[in-house]
């Protein structure tokens, strides 16, 4: 055992002891502890194994920069992999295990990889496993890859999401963040202050430092009290800023229940905040750099700043015999604090030949031996540190002269500090090398600024020397570790340089430096420094790798929020949903709506029901709910001109009370949507769309009006769910509608096909449109959604004497294929142009410009061999419908060859008692009557190209 607990600690509550399990063994801690602090206090030294060589590893850091203590929390559905132990708050009953170790942490069979290190250096996998076949090795390699184990059961937790705006967002709850928030709040601005941990104050919390003449503890408490009393301030602990995006948007992940015992958790586990801010202040602090020397990964080697944090926050001393090795002043303060807490300081080893005299004098006053101009040559030990060999060091990191061994169980190291610039870089901020700090600092950027440690404000008393790699040979040592999690050594960086991987991005990918779950927080700058030394290039010229969000791994669940299961794509219910369910409808999802596919009766299959429904509509009258069809109202003095620009058709010539079928294109000229446009008044239109595209079209309308045609006076509103629509179709449809006593003339002469009227039906305000997708006399009756039940009940009662039959989507699709009506998405694809579906003539006649026109008329759109939509008549006597997607080939084809097109829609026609199909076929309109072969997965069929419409081609039934 090495680490132990003192009788104080700012963040822990000794009145609330807790028990937890680590690798199946029971330990104890206190409320306020983290898993890392509780393990350290319990004397646990080895907390993990490295990714590649499975070397034993101990705690290094006290925050999200921890690369070694990666743990698997809980079991079963509650399990969470790859959490950093310093960020896991202790709770009663917590169960945690190390990752990447089998069968146990102390006896890991894959530790044999360390013995083979010489043969599996960086990037060995690029050069091996090639012969005889990579696929032979892949399963074993993939099994060995990764750290924790992904949950195999569905996530039982729920997650929340929220959006917010604040004038000032301050990221970081340390002294700099608190001060910046207070200053902004006193200026009258709305302020949101967030910190990732559970406590405030940062590195100075609990220390004896003074701030503005007050002890740090008192200053922090006073400032928090002042901020909490301000109505314009929001304080959020346990809230980590994970990403900084365009236009002042910052993503925050708030941990709501992760700190509670499992049985006490309720409500959302975590909450994702999308915060828009006018000013972003980054007070995210700085990350300490380790020293790079032989054996620096042994359990017991720790960052000096981390040891100081464990001491003041949790009352934990990192070891019994402590050596401090550094090249800067900050580690001295850690040594002093530990000595004043009665820890045994063996020595302070400083690479500088002349540190501050005041530091040396204070160290001697505390009885701490000091070795200047020296650095660690090697850490000694196996699964735990036993000592460190130190010797005189040159400016370039070479140990010169005799070394001496200092017996210790803990080595605290500090190679300087790097500002946490990740969020600054996410927001396209640039960096500059500070030669005094030997670290990259943020360059001022509009919209956000860094303060405190995040800005490099460390106020060092003297420049920090560049000490990137320490070795006894002057060459980077192959056992001097740079990236602890991914097992990248200084020797690996040298290998990359020798093999000409000299760009920092190439170095990252060749060695995997900085690609672990900590994103190289402790390793990146050291790696860049080593590479710069090897290439004799300044670090500024080498630059840094790209920092990408999230700042720390974030659960998928919090990004998904409610959009899981049924919430991923909420199924919308029809206005008459209850009636459909009660009457045996087979419901399926169409365009996000649960709609009746058919109404099978007892003993009927769905195919039988579809045939019956089709024949009932053709012979009598059918009832269909069309509420999901998109309905967008477009109104204003420029409404007609606007729609002319949006549609291939000319809409402005449409007379009030009339309807027109129209298609819309994308900017690439391809068919995007179709529907019926109705002119309700001189400056008032109702745009009909497909049910799946209504939201996208409404947004497209608004985008063009707001971004391109800003002077047009047009209002756009999606009213789809304001109006419930019932469709009656069939030769007896007029009789049924007449029984409802409409106050409009519904005779054929007064109310022709493709016209609309506004009035009342059975006393309800209604819009009635005479449009048809079945090929029969048809009326669409739209009433306010609240009146849906009354309308449907009246229609059912009025239609009963006429044999009214409800029909579903599949019957509707069958009838539209019989008529040859287009179904966008089925009969079109991402390359279909208007001329391919018969709109070439309309497009040529229209002299005005419209969205997609220029793209549709590019040379590719004018090719004579383009695929066009045609009908297919099956000629082989086989009654089975053609397979949708089957390929169309020339008549003489005996083997598969490049396709001339494919079947887009196919069905059995109960009306014609024959299989029918539509297809996109090369030069289809010029090949009427041609025989073709249709191929699908080895099966051949015979067919003939025909016109689209096979039922009532004269349209007499539509015009009845």
């Amino acid at each position: 055992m090495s680490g132990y607990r003192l009788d104080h600690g700012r963040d822990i509550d000794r009145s609330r002891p807790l028990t937890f399990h680590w690798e199946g063994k029971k330990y104890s801690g206190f409320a306020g502890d983290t898993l890392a602090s509780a393990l350290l206090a319990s004397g646990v030294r080895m907390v993990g194994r490295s990714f590649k060589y499975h070397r034993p590893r101990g705690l290094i850091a006290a925050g999200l920069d921890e690369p070694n203590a990666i743990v698997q929390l809980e079991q079963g559905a509650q399990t969470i992999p790859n959490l950093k132990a310093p960020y896991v708050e202790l709770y009663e009953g917590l169960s945690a295990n190390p990752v990447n170790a089998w069968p146990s942490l102390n006896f890991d069979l894959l530790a044999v990889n360390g013995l083979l290190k010489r043969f599996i250096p960086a990037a060995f996998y690029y050069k091996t496993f090639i012969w005889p076949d990579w696929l032979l090795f892949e399963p074993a390699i993939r099994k060995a890859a990764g750290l924790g184990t992904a949950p195999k059961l569905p996530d039982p937790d729920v997650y929340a999401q929220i959006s917010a705006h604040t004038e000032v967002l301050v990221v970081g709850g340390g002294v700099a963040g608190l001060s910046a928030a207070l200053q902004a709040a006193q200026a009258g601005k709305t302020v949101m202050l967030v910190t990732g941990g559970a406590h405030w104050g940062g590195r100075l919390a609990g220390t004896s430092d003074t701030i503005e003449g007050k002890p740090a503890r008192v200053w922090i408490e006073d400032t928090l009290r002042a901020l909490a009393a301000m109505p314009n301030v929001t304080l959020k602990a346990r809230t980590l800023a994970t990403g900084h995006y365009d236009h002042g948007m910052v993503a925050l992940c708030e941990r709501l229940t992760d700190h509670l015992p499992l049985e006490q958790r309720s409500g959302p586990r975590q909450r994702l905040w999308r915060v828009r801010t006018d000013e972003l202040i980054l007070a995210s602090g700085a990350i300490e750099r380790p020293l790079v020397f032989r054996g620096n990964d042994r359990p017991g080697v720790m960052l000096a700043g981390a040891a100081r944090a464990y001491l003041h926050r949790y009352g934990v001393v990192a070891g019994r015999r402590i050596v401090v090795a550094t090249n800067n002043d900050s580690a001295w303060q850690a040594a002093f604090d530990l000595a004043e807490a009665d820890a045994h300081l063996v020595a302070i080893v400083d690479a500088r030949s002349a540190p501050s005299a005041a530091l040396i004098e204070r160290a001697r006053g505390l009885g701490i031996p000091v070795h200047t101009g020296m650095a660690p040559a090697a850490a000694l030990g196996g699964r735990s540190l036993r000592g460190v060999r130190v010797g005189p060091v040159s400016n370039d990191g070479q140990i010169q002269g005799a070394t001496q061994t200092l017996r210790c169980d803990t080595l605290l190291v500090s190679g300087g500090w790097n500002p946490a610039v990740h969020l600054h870089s996410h927001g396209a901020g640039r960096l500059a090398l500070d030669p005094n700090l030997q670290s990259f600092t943020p360059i001022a950027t509009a919209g956000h600024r860094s303060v405190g440690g995040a800005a490099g404000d460390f106020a060092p008393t003297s420049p920090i020397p560049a000490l990137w790699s320490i070795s006894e040979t002057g060459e980077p040592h192959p056992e001097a570790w740079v990236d602890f999690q991914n097992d990248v050594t200084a020797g690996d960086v040298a290998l990359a340089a020798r093999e000409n991987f000299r760009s920092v991005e190439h170095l990252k990918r060749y060695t995997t430096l900085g690609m672990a779950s900590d994103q190289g927080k402790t390793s990146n700058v050291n790696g860049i420094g080593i590479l710069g030394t090897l290439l004799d290039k300044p670090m500024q010229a080498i630059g840094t790798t790209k920092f990408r969000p999230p700042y720390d791994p974030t659960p998928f669940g919090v990004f998904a929020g409610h959009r899981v299961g049924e919430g991923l794509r909420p199924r919308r219910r029809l206005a008459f949903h209850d009636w459909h369910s009660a009457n045996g409808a087979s419901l399926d999802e169409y365009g996000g709506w649960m709609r009746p596919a058919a109404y099978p009766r007892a003993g009927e299959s769905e195919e039988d029901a579809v045939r019956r429904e089709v024949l009932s509509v053709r012979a009598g009258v059918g009832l269909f709910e069309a509420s999901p069809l998109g309905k967008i109202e477009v109104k204003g003095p420029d409404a007609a001109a606007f729609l002319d620009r949006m549609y291939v058709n000319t809409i402005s010539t449409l007379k009030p009370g009339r309807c027109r079928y129209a298609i819309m294109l994308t900017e690439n000229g391809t068919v995007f949507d179709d529907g019926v446009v109705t002119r309700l008044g001189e400056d008032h239109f109702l745009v009909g769309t497909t049910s799946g595209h209504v939201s996208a079209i409404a947004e497209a309308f608004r985008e063009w009006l707001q971004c391109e045609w800003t002077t047009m006076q047009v209002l756009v509103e999606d009213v789809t769910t304001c109006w419930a629509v019932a469709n009656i179709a069939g030769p007896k449809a007029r009789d049924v509608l007449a029984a409802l006593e409409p106050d409009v003339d519904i005779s054929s002469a007064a109310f022709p096909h493709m016209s609309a009227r506004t009035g009342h039906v059975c006393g309800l305000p209604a819009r009635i449109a005479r449009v048809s997708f079945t090929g029969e006399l048809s009326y669409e009756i739209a009433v306010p959604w609240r009146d849906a039940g009354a309308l449907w009940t009246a229609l059912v009662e009025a239609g009963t004497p006429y044999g009214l039959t409800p029909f579903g989507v599949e019957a509707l699709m069958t009838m539209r294929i019989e008529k040859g009506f287009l179904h966008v998405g089925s009969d079109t694809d991402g390359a279909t142009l208007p001329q391919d579906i018969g709109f070439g003539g309309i497009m040529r006649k229209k002299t005005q410009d419209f969205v997609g026109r220029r793209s549709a008329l590019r040379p590719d759109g004018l090719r004579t061999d383009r695929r066009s939509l045609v009908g297919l008549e099956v000629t082989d006597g086989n009654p089975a419908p053609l397979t949708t997607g089957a390929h169309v080939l020339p008549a003489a084809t005996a083997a598969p060859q490049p396709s001339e097109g494919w079947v887009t829609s196919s069905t059995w026609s109960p009306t014609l008692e024959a299989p029918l199909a539509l297809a996109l076929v090369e030069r289809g309109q010029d090949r009427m009557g041609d025989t073709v072969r249709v191929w699908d997965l080895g099966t051949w069929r015979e067919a003939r190209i025909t016109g689209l419409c096979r039922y009532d081609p004269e349209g007499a039934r539509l015009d009845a």
Side-chain angles (χ1 to χ4, degrees):
M1 296 179 65
S2 293
Y4 60 94
R5 181 91 69 177
L6 299 175
D7 60 0
H8 61 80
R10 173 182 178 272
D11 292 346
I12 61 172
D13 182 355
R14 291 179 179 272
S15 68
R16 294 174 56 202
L18 303 173
T19 59
F20 68 99
H21 288 82
W22 169 250
E23 211 179 9
K25 185 178 179 181
K26 187 176 182 179
Y27 292 91
S28 63
F30 296 101
D33 261 324
T34 64
L35 177 60
S37 66
L39 288 172
L40 189 61
S42 300
V44 176
R45 302 294 274 175
M46 188 165 64
V47 295
R49 292 276 181 170
S50 63
F51 171 67
K52 184 175 175 183
Y53 300 122
H54 290 251
R55 288 175 63 89
R57 293 283 164 81
L59 282 166
I60 286 182
L64 290 176
D65 48 338
E66 173 59 50
N68 292 339
I70 310 299
V71 302
Q72 183 100 17
L73 211 60
E74 303 303 343
Q75 298 175 359
Q78 299 281 359
T79 192
I80 306 171
N82 300 341
L83 295 177
K84 297 177 176 66
Y87 227 60
V88 176
E89 294 182 58
L90 202 65
Y91 54 82
E92 181 61 36
L94 179 148
S95 175
N97 286 282
V99 301
N100 205 45
W102 185 84
S104 69
L105 184 60
N106 284 318
F107 182 68
D108 183 3
L109 287 177
L110 284 178
V112 68
N113 288 358
L115 302 176
L116 303 174
K117 180 180 180 302
R118 177 181 177 186
F119 305 103
I120 50 175
F124 77 97
Y125 31 79
Y126 294 136
K127 308 169 186 176
T128 54
F129 306 124
I130 298 173
W131 183 89
D133 190 340
W134 155 255
L135 296 178
L136 295 176
F137 306 100
E138 183 181 15
I141 291 175
R142 291 199 179 280
K143 185 175 181 180
L147 294 174
T149 302
K152 294 182 171 63
L153 299 173
D155 188 349
D157 295 312
V158 295
Y159 302 85
Q161 295 185 353
I162 192 171
S163 297
H165 172 265
T166 184
E167 291 178 287
V168 179
L169 173 63
V170 182
V171 175
V175 171
L178 290 168
S179 181
L182 183 62
Q183 185 179 14
Q186 289 173 339
K189 298 179 179 179
T190 56
V191 176
M192 188 175 190
L193 173 62
V194 301
T195 187
H199 305 284
W200 302 90
R203 288 189 295 116
L204 296 186
T207 68
S208 58
D209 294 50
T210 60
I211 305 170
E212 297 179 348
K214 297 180 181 180
R217 177 184 58 80
V218 175
W219 185 94
I220 292 168
E221 291 174 354
D222 288 349
T223 305
L224 279 171
R225 200 160 30 245
L227 288 168
M230 295 181 176
N232 56 327
V233 174
T234 301
L235 299 174
K236 284 287 179 183
R238 298 189 178 98
T239 303
L240 181 70
T242 62
H244 178 198
Y245 304 91
D246 293 342
H247 310 298
M249 204 276 275
V250 178
L252 310 174
C253 180
E254 181 182 9
R255 304 189 309 282
L256 298 171
T257 63
D258 283 356
H259 61 292
L260 299 175
L262 297 181
E263 65 275 8
Q264 294 181 18
R265 298 180 184 181
S266 63
R269 177 189 159 209
Q270 295 183 358
R271 178 188 289 128
L272 177 68
W273 289 78
R274 297 183 185 90
V275 179
R276 297 280 183 182
T277 183
D278 302 333
E279 181 183 5
L280 174 63
I281 299 177
L282 300 175
S284 45
I287 298 169
E288 196 168 16
R289 293 193 298 266
L291 294 174
V292 179
F293 57 94
R294 183 178 181 181
N296 63 330
D297 67 328
R298 300 196 188 283
V301 179
M302 179 184 287
L303 293 170
R308 193 182 188 209
Y310 285 118
L311 173 67
H312 292 300
R313 295 177 189 169
Y314 312 107
V316 177
V317 177
R320 302 284 179 175
R321 294 179 56 85
I322 302 172
V323 172
V324 177
T326 185
N327 67 345
N328 64 89
D329 292 352
S330 67
W332 289 71
Q333 189 59 56
F336 298 155
D337 290 358
L338 286 163
E340 290 171 349
D342 293 329
H344 183 190
L345 270 294
V346 175
I348 297 176
V349 179
D350 196 319
R352 298 172 295 180
S353 58
S356 164
L359 293 175
I360 295 175
E361 183 179 352
R362 186 177 177 188
R364 288 173 178 167
L366 291 169
I368 307 173
V370 175
H371 302 276
T372 59
M374 302 181 75
L380 309 176
R383 294 184 179 179
S384 62
L385 187 69
R386 295 287 180 265
V388 58
R389 201 155 47 79
V390 301
V393 65
S394 64
N395 291 335
D396 60 2
Q398 183 174 1
I399 298 295
Q400 298 176 329
T403 62
Q404 58 180 299
T405 299
L406 302 176
R407 191 169 64 86
C408 61
D409 62 12
T410 302
L411 174 61
L412 306 182
V413 298
S414 177
W417 295 80
N418 303 320
V421 297
H422 302 69
L423 294 173
H424 171 82
S425 298
H426 292 175
R430 299 176 62 193
L431 305 174
L433 182 72
D434 186 322
N436 291 325
L437 302 177
Q438 298 297 331
S439 59
F440 290 92
T441 58
I443 297 173
T445 303
H448 66 268
R449 61 188 175 95
S450 301
V451 298
D457 185 9
F458 307 135
T461 56
S462 60
I464 297 176
L467 194 62
W468 304 121
S469 177
I470 304 167
S471 74
E472 296 178 84
T473 64
E475 297 294 328
H477 199 282
E479 291 187 4
W481 305 89
V482 181
D483 188 316
F484 295 96
Q485 191 175 135
N486 270 2
D487 275 337
V488 180
T489 68
D492 292 330
V493 177
L495 175 63
R498 287 197 303 272
E499 299 200 359
N500 211 35
F501 289 90
R502 301 185 171 203
S503 158
V504 67
E505 294 290 355
H506 290 163
L507 170 69
K508 174 180 177 178
R509 285 152 182 81
Y510 186 78
T511 64
T512 71
L513 174 67
M515 292 178 65
S517 64
D518 66 337
Q519 293 194 41
K521 291 180 174 65
T522 58
S523 62
N524 278 338
V525 175
N526 278 338
I528 294 166
I530 295 169
L531 183 63
T533 301
L534 292 168
L535 300 181
D536 196 24
K537 288 177 64 175
M539 292 173 63
Q540 183 72 40
I542 291 177
T544 65
T545 55
K546 180 72 174 176
F547 295 110
R548 296 180 175 89
Y551 176 74
D552 190 65
T554 305
F556 288 125
V558 78
F559 291 122
H562 66 275
R563 292 179 291 275
V564 294
E566 291 293 323
L568 176 63
R569 189 178 178 184
R571 296 176 177 178
R572 308 172 81 178
R573 292 189 171 190
L574 301 177
F576 313 111
H577 176 85
D578 292 343
W579 189 93
H580 300 310
S581 299
N583 284 269
S586 173
L587 298 174
D588 207 344
E589 183 180 352
Y590 297 88
W593 292 79
M594 296 304 295
R595 304 174 69 179
Y599 296 82
R601 295 173 178 172
E604 273 189 336
S605 66
E606 186 172 294
E607 290 181 355
D608 293 337
V610 170
R611 289 175 181 143
R612 173 179 53 77
E613 291 168 15
V614 170
L615 294 175
S616 295
V617 173
R618 296 292 189 215
V621 63
L623 178 60
F624 175 81
E625 182 173 357
S627 300
L629 290 176
K631 296 173 279 293
I632 302 173
E633 295 206 21
V634 179
K635 195 170 185 179
D638 298 318
F642 168 69
L643 292 176
D644 279 347
R645 297 183 186 184
M646 295 304 302
Y647 280 94
V648 173
N649 310 64
T650 301
I651 306 299
S652 57
T653 57
L654 193 62
K655 298 185 184 312
R658 297 293 292 180
C659 309
R660 181 165 294 163
Y661 174 74
I663 64 168
M664 182 187 297
L665 310 182
T666 67
E667 292 182 64
N668 294 324
T670 57
V671 177
F672 178 59
D673 199 71
D674 68 342
V676 173
V677 178
T678 303
R679 191 164 197 166
L680 300 175
E682 196 60 36
D683 61 354
H684 190 186
F685 293 83
L686 181 65
V687 172
T689 74
T690 56
S691 55
H693 275 166
V694 57
S695 296
I697 292 172
E699 288 303 312
F701 282 0
R702 294 187 182 105
E703 181 178 355
W704 282 98
L705 288 168
Q706 293 176 18
C707 301
E708 302 297 333
W709 305 321
T710 56
T711 60
M712 296 191 93
Q713 299 182 60
V714 181
L715 293 176
V716 172
E717 188 63 40
D718 179 2
V719 296
T720 301
T721 53
C722 296
W723 295 87
V725 180
N727 171 232
I728 48 174
K732 300 177 182 178
R734 186 177 288 116
D735 297 327
V736 175
L737 180 56
L740 298 183
E741 301 179 350
D743 59 2
V744 297
D745 187 348
I746 61 171
S747 64
S748 179
F751 199 166
H753 180 55
M754 295 302 283
S755 59
R757 301 289 183 267
T758 300
H760 292 78
V761 174
C762 62
L764 302 173
R767 290 173 175 173
I768 311 168
R770 189 176 164 188
V771 294
S772 177
F773 202 44
T774 63
E776 300 292 338
L777 170 65
S778 176
Y779 298 93
E780 286 187 358
I781 308 166
V783 298
W785 200 276
R786 65 179 179 272
D787 296 329
L791 173 66
W792 195 266
T793 300
L795 282 169
V796 171
E797 292 177 356
T800 300
Y802 300 97
L804 181 84
T805 301
F807 65 98
V809 174
E810 296 306 315
L812 180 69
M813 290 295 107
T814 297
M815 288 185 278
R816 72 95 187 167
I817 293 173
E818 292 176 340
K819 281 295 292 183
F821 288 153
L822 174 76
H823 186 228
V824 172
S826 296
D827 300 317
T828 63
D829 63 9
T832 304
L833 300 179
Q835 51 268 44
D836 303 335
I837 57 171
F839 272 72
I842 293 174
M843 197 162 52
R844 284 191 297 272
K845 291 178 182 178
K846 187 172 180 178
T847 58
Q848 300 164 275
D849 198 9
F850 55 87
V851 174
R853 179 189 181 99
R854 184 176 64 176
S855 299
L857 295 177
R858 288 177 298 184
D860 183 69
L862 301 178
R863 291 185 359 248
T864 58
D865 62 344
R866 289 191 61 83
R867 292 184 293 269
S868 56
L869 190 64
V870 295
L872 289 181
E873 177 187 0
V874 176
T875 59
D876 58 12
N878 186 341
L882 299 176
T883 302
T884 302
H887 291 279
V888 178
L889 300 169
T893 304
Q897 66 178 48
S899 177
E900 290 189 339
W902 55 87
V903 177
T904 60
S905 298
S906 181
T907 190
W908 167 264
S909 168
T911 309
L912 303 177
E913 296 186 340
L916 297 180
L918 305 179
L920 283 169
V921 180
E922 289 182 10
R923 303 181 307 279
Q925 291 297 324
D926 299 328
R927 298 169 60 184
M928 292 297 161
D930 283 6
T931 299
V932 293
R933 302 199 78 192
V934 181
W935 182 89
D936 177 61
L937 301 178
T939 300
W940 291 95
R941 300 289 300 276
E942 307 293 329
R944 180 183 299 112
I945 297 175
T946 68
L948 293 170
C949 183
R950 298 289 304 284
Y951 173 75
D952 186 29
E954 298 81 12
R957 299 177 73 90
L958 282 174
D959 294 330

